[in-house]
Amino acid sequence: MSSLSGAVETAPVSSLHSAGSANPDDFPVPTGREEEWRFTPLNRLRGLHKDAAFTGAVTVAVEAAPEVTVDKIDLSERVRLAPSVVPFLPMDRVSARAYAAAVSATVISVPKEAVASAPTYVRITGNGTDSAAAGHLVIDVQPYGRATVVIDQTGSATYADNVEIHVADGGDLTVVALADWADDTVQVTHHVATLGKDAHFTHYAVTLGGSLVRLAPTVRYVAPGGDAELYGITFADAGQHLEARLFVDHDTPNCRSRVGYKGALSGEGARTVWIGDVLIRPQATGTDTYEYNRNLVLTDGAHADSVPNLEILTGEVVGAGHASTSGRLDDEHLFYLQARGIPFEEARRLVIRGFFGELIARIGIPALEERIAASIEAELAARAGEGVQS
């Protein structure tokens, strides 16, 4: 049978997120009993959380918009970044190990008031799973700069990486993180964004490939007026474990956040995990936040966990809410289409296409939208009729 899981009781959000540390030894080796690791199958991480040697590498190629600059820096030379940038601190052991192991960082910079005329593509290609690889990417948007960055990840890898994102005052950045890995890839990745005054940040997490992919996006505000939107599209097939653990830290007055993740699961052992932590601290008056997660369990043997956590420590908010649903395809929608002569499998594809369509259309890059839609269609076609829920 399929397994559906809604919100469950957890510890307060404020107690789950530490200040962070660049020293891996400050984080104990996870056992799986910790709140932040209890959904992750540690035996599938290939030692990324323990002592795997980072002797491998991935290939990083950047196709930059004309207005954008690309550099590679030694991580000890962080003073070359804008002085307003908030220092990056890993939030768990895997992140800290990746940070310690990555000797250099690829830096994408958007100059002050520059408006990128095309998306910048960061193409990360895995070269094999035998040796673990560590990576570090920095996206730095200066005041009133505007850009779109696509992180396109393919190939086979055992990979731990950090992406630090800085959007200065009045900046506007869209990041699309596409995990289109081969079936044997294991990835644990952290995306940490800091937003300046009146900065706008949109983050799309599209997770389709890999054996196990765990993504942890974090948003912090350093001045009023910050606006963050985080969207996710996930399709898990047989044996895949795809996990997203979000943290939106409202610690500044008059900021906004919106979170919307959608997932579908098809096949024996398909597993998705979505954790949405939103913390509104006492000083964050005027906060406006809402998050939702929706999952479609398409076949027997699939399992979806969905845990929205909202902790409010001030009574002076504009709005704060969350929602979570996990279930099967709507029988009425299928019946409506079949009653008009559309075969069951085609009706099913149409409903799922509509389920993801709104989020895919938001991305605003037609070629990428078509690629994502085609990948989902291919997954559905490959598993047509397998243990279908009806």
Side-chain angles (χ1 to χ4, degrees), residues 50-300:
K50 294 193 294 186
D51 54 6
F54 288 101
T55 57
V58 297
T59 301
V60 180
V62 180
E63 301 166 13
E67 302 81 7
V68 171
T69 63
V70 182
D71 199 2
K72 181 162 283 191
I73 66 167
D74 189 294
L75 283 175
S76 65
E77 301 177 26
R78 296 182 58 82
V79 292
R80 291 174 59 185
L81 293 177
S84 61
V85 164
V86 176
F88 172 82
L89 283 177
M91 299 300 293
D92 67 28
R93 182 174 172 83
V94 177
S95 177
R97 295 194 72 237
Y99 187 62
V103 296
S104 64
T106 300
V107 181
I108 311 295
S109 299
V110 183
K112 183 178 180 180
E113 298 181 352
V115 178
S117 56
T120 291
Y121 282 83
V122 182
R123 302 194 189 276
I124 299 173
T125 306
N127 300 311
T129 62
D130 292 341
S131 300
H136 199 96
L137 173 66
V138 178
I139 305 172
D140 183 24
V141 179
Q142 293 298 299
Y144 304 101
R146 298 173 60 91
T148 296
V149 176
V150 179
I151 307 171
D152 187 1
Q153 303 164 113
T154 59
S156 298
T158 300
Y159 190 43
D161 68 302
N162 294 297
V163 179
E164 56 175 306
I165 300 163
H166 309 281
V167 189
D169 297 354
D172 192 331
L173 173 67
T174 296
V175 171
V176 183
L178 174 59
D180 199 12
W181 297 109
D183 292 342
D184 56 354
T185 291
V186 169
Q187 181 189 27
V188 180
T189 180
H190 293 73
H191 294 196
V192 180
T194 56
L195 308 187
K197 179 177 172 59
D198 297 328
H200 182 253
F201 172 57
T202 306
H203 184 275
Y204 295 94
V206 183
T207 309
L208 304 175
S211 171
L212 183 153
V213 176
R214 172 177 156 135
L215 166 67
T218 295
V219 174
R220 293 191 171 90
Y221 304 86
V222 297
D227 188 350
E229 300 179 59
L230 290 85
Y231 302 108
I233 297 167
T234 301
F235 195 111
D237 64 12
Q240 278 187 298
H241 179 101
L242 306 180
E243 182 170 346
R245 305 187 66 94
L246 294 85
F247 177 41
V248 181
D249 189 358
H250 281 282
D251 61 352
T252 302
N254 302 319
C255 292
R256 176 183 180 272
S257 66
R258 290 291 184 272
V259 175
Y261 270 58
K262 290 185 176 183
L265 304 85
S266 178
E268 184 66 33
R271 177 80 179 272
T272 61
V273 177
W274 180 86
I275 310 295
D277 288 347
V278 177
L279 173 61
I280 305 176
R281 299 185 187 269
Q283 66 270 30
T285 56
T287 291
D288 182 6
T289 182
Y290 188 80
E291 63 171 349
Y292 74 82
N293 175 230
R294 295 172 186 154
N295 297 296
L296 280 180
V297 180
L298 302 175
T299 66
D300 294 337

Side-chain angles (χ1 to χ4, degrees), residues 3-63:
S3 180
L4 313 180
S5 177
V8 297
E9 290 296 324
T10 61
V13 175
S14 53
S15 68
L16 297 177
H17 298 274
S18 65
S21 173
N23 183 358
D25 293 336
D26 288 340
F27 301 97
V29 176
T31 64
R33 291 186 292 272
E34 303 85 357
E35 175 59 36
E36 63 268 34
W37 291 102
R38 68 187 178 100
F39 291 106
T40 307
L42 299 179
N43 62 337
R44 294 175 60 180
L45 289 183
R46 298 176 184 155
L48 290 176
H49 64 303
K50 294 193 294 186
D51 54 6
F54 288 101
T55 57
V58 297
T59 301
V60 180
V62 180
E63 301 166 13

